[in-house]
Amino acid sequence: MVVFWSLVWPYLVGALVLGGAGGAAWWLWRTDRQVRRRDHLWRQADRLENGRRTLAEMDAMTGTEFEEQVAALCRRDGCTGVRRVGGANDNGADVLGSLPDGRTMVIQCKRYAPTRTIASREMRDLLGAKVHFGADLAVFVTTTRFSRPSEGFAVQHGILAVHRDHLGLWNSGASLLSLGEVNGGGQGDTRHRTRWRQAYGE
């Protein structure tokens, strides 16, 4: 029996060590899976929460909060390197980053009352920012609408003009790139402008 035990115990110890190592590895793998799953669920919930922000809530934001919300929508859509740069001496840019296809973008954000209108001058400032930052795409995001000249300027110079109605679509789940397909439109005909005045005033 003593001889038998002296031959067997190294194998038993080895089996116990391997079993313990295997158990530890399985526990680490399971814990990692749980942590990753919780992180994924948290990020998904955060994206949904960002998407639930209503336009009325955006109207109540500060300018900085609105810029952060626009940056969050960009990240939701898979944009990379997104960062808020708005503030003094921002050179006409509020948000910088790259689209999912790799193109760089510069974004100007204006949280104005719906009764205001974006003038062509502000579009020209954004075009200058596009040149300054060497961006591939310029995007103007606002909580109001564009004047006809400013909208025409945007289309002529390849600026993506996201007015209030398009911002509502983006906030509800449409991707930023999909808005390019309706750029220069969506502010409606005379009846739409009449309803706008009834809702927001002049």
Side-chain angles (χ1 to χ4, degrees), residues 27-43:
W27 181 84
L28 289 172
W29 173 81
R30 182 170 172 272
T31 301
D32 180 68
R33 284 287 298 273
Q34 290 175 338
V35 169
R36 287 176 184 271
R37 183 172 182 277
R38 282 196 296 266
D39 182 67
H40 173 74
L41 291 174
W42 174 82
R43 290 178 184 276

Side-chain angles (χ1 to χ4, degrees), residues 2 9 29 38 47 101 111-112 125 130 151 161 182 192:
V2 173
W9 79 265
W29 173 81
R38 282 196 296 266
R47 285 195 296 268
D101 60 14
R111 189 209 52 77
Y112 285 161
D125 291 344
K130 178 185 177 185
E151 191 172 59
V182 291
H192 179 272

